[in-house]
Amino acid sequence: LAEETRREEEGADLSSMGNCKSLSRALLGKAHVAPDAEWRMQDFGKTHVPDLEWRIHDFSSLLETGAKSATSAIFHCSGYNWLLQVIPMHKETGSETPYVALRLMTTQERMVPGHTVHVVFELSVYNHTKGMYCGCKASYNFHFKNSYSKEHCLIPLQELLKSSAFLVDDSCVFGVDILKIDVSSPEKKAVVVQKKATTVQNLFVQKKGFVKGKYTWNINNFLELDMDNFVRSPTFEVGVHKWYVGMYPHGNKYSTDCISLYLCLGASDELRLESKKVFVMTLSILDQKNGKHLTATSGLWVCNNGCGWGWADFFGLKKLKDPSGGYVVGSSCIVKADLTIIGSSNDG
């Protein structure tokens, strides 16, 4: 949590609907540094065949949303679920130059406590002039509570915007190729990376006509809730779809002495989504005494079937229950969800 009540969007987690297994918050180290103006990406040539090809249409509309990041739908490789995230205006410490950066993410269904999954991968953007991908090679150790890689800068944002090689008809193509997976565990096994056809995803961002909705969940018996299990709000409707807010009052297994809070798509709506919705959300716990609400805002997320989105470590339990804070008054706790649907995503 920031000094006041604002949280950064990069902490947003992706969770399994059934028991909200989450993508825990990143333990971010120092990101890849683009040293100077002469820095250039590596040409990968024809050998770079991405596992995911992610086409972002209306890139200027993505920038206009002001979202700090956009995250793909899930793709699968070698028994793990992966996602690609683009940070369109990433700035390194001490630099004022915004870069388009990428990072690899995983969900945690296959992550076992005590195991480390070492992954070697290539992050890339497609150069239409050369007819090949350009980017950087990277590696990262994923584990139970660390499922975001570092951000890796690819190209200065202004260079991308003025380039006819990378931006064509206001669209650009990003990719990730997973080269090697090693699991550090008692078995110490290497995972054979099984190459399949490239997964292609399209992200469309609207310029206007966003669908917005909000919901307030008044919990009058917060201290009497089953603190160790998943608790959900009544459903509410936004954009003809039904949603609900879910929480683990004492946190799930990915949290550390914090309340876990999520937004979830209703089960009946999962089955009839022809194209996945792209949305941003804000979840808040209201301060009933001082007006200093606890607020967390996500980047752009794609509705994956069977998933919820939120934060395993939303806020510390000790401070949450502090009577001077106003977040739990008597046994009353008020949670608010603000949701904006800004586009769609499909495969193909």
Side-chain angles (χ1 to χ4, degrees):
L1 191 70
E3 184 175 336
E4 293 297 325
T5 58
R6 184 70 57 179
R7 295 177 62 107
E8 294 184 357
E9 61 153 14
E10 286 85 346
D13 306 331
L14 181 67
S15 329
S16 167
M17 280 279 283
N19 52 10
C20 273
K21 295 176 182 176
S22 70
L23 239 170
S24 59
R25 295 195 68 192
L27 302 177
L28 297 177
K30 186 177 180 182
H32 178 82
V33 176
D36 52 45
E38 298 302 318
W39 183 84
R40 292 294 183 269
M41 294 177 289
Q42 172 188 353
D43 290 341
F44 284 138
K46 303 300 181 181
T47 60
H48 179 83
V49 180
D51 292 292
L52 173 69
E53 178 181 292
W54 193 24
R55 302 171 181 172
I56 298 184
H57 304 264
D58 311 307
F59 190 79
S60 61
S61 297
L62 170 61
L63 296 177
E64 288 170 8
T65 67
K68 293 183 179 179
S69 67
T71 305
S72 73
I74 290 172
F75 67 98
H76 307 282
C77 179
S78 302
Y80 293 91
N81 296 331
W82 305 96
L83 307 96
L84 182 62
Q85 185 176 85
V86 59
I87 304 94
M89 294 178 283
H90 178 70
K91 291 183 180 179
E92 297 291 346
T93 302
S95 172
E96 291 301 316
T97 302
Y99 273 79
V100 177
L102 297 179
R103 66 177 172 190
L104 182 64
M105 302 160 54
T106 184
T107 61
Q108 293 180 310
E109 286 86 349
R110 302 299 178 93
M111 292 291 162
V112 179
H115 289 202
T116 298
V117 180
H118 179 74
V119 183
V120 180
F121 52 95
E122 292 175 339
L123 299 169
S124 59
V125 58
Y126 190 72
N127 186 317
H128 293 269
T129 301
K130 294 182 177 181
M132 67 178 66
Y133 284 90
C134 309
C136 65
K137 188 175 182 179
S139 63
Y140 200 72
N141 291 325
F142 297 91
H143 56 77
F144 186 66
K145 288 194 175 185
N146 191 8
S147 46
Y148 290 63
S149 79
K150 299 175 183 178
E151 304 100 328
H152 292 267
C153 294
L154 291 189
I155 181 173
L157 175 61
Q158 293 305 315
E159 185 173 327
L160 182 142
L161 292 177
K162 68 184 181 182
S163 170
S164 59
F166 298 108
L167 192 66
V168 177
D169 296 328
D170 201 22
S171 300
C172 52
V173 181
F174 297 102
V176 56
D177 186 15
I178 296 176
L179 305 175
K180 185 180 180 181
I181 301 175
D182 290 313
V183 180
S184 176
S185 66
E187 296 81 20
K188 292 185 178 179
K189 63 179 181 178
V191 176
V192 177
V193 177
Q194 301 169 344
K195 282 298 176 184
K196 301 186 298 183
T198 298
T199 297
V200 178
Q201 297 179 9
N202 296 282
L203 178 69
F204 301 92
V205 181
Q206 299 169 203
K207 292 185 179 295
K208 58 183 179 179
F210 300 153
V211 178
K212 298 185 178 183
K214 59 182 63 178
Y215 177 76
T216 301
W217 182 17
N218 292 286
I219 308 170
N220 296 318
N221 61 337
F222 180 79
L223 297 180
E224 287 77 51
L225 294 175
D226 184 343
M227 293 295 176
D228 295 322
N229 290 312
F230 187 63
V231 180
R232 54 176 289 173
S233 75
T235 58
F236 59 96
E237 190 170 299
V238 177
V240 306
H241 297 292
K242 290 182 170 58
W243 309 78
Y244 63 89
V245 177
M247 71 162 68
Y248 285 91
H250 273 183
N252 60 18
K253 63 182 180 180
Y254 304 108
S255 67
T256 305
D257 298 324
C258 292
I259 185 173
S260 302
L261 201 58
Y262 300 94
L263 176 70
C264 306
L265 186 66
S268 61
D269 284 85
E270 293 175 30
L271 303 177
R272 61 186 183 91
L273 279 179
E274 295 180 3
S275 64
K276 304 178 182 73
K277 302 301 180 184
V278 177
F279 68 94
V280 293
M281 65 159 180
T282 297
L283 296 180
S284 305
I285 297 179
L286 303 189
D287 182 343
Q288 302 174 59
K289 292 182 177 180
N290 311 302
K292 295 182 178 180
H293 309 315
L294 303 172
T295 300
T297 300
S298 73
L300 272 64
W301 285 87
V302 177
C303 288
N304 294 280
N305 287 351
C307 290
W309 305 262
W311 292 267
D313 289 328
F314 186 84
F315 192 63
L317 291 171
K318 185 176 180 180
K319 291 185 178 180
L320 179 72
K321 296 179 180 180
D322 185 342
S324 65
Y327 306 118
V328 179
V329 177
S331 193
S332 170
C333 182
I334 303 174
V335 178
K336 183 182 177 185
D338 293 272
L339 173 65
T340 303
I341 298 173
I342 65 169
S344 61
S345 173
N346 62 34
D347 300 334

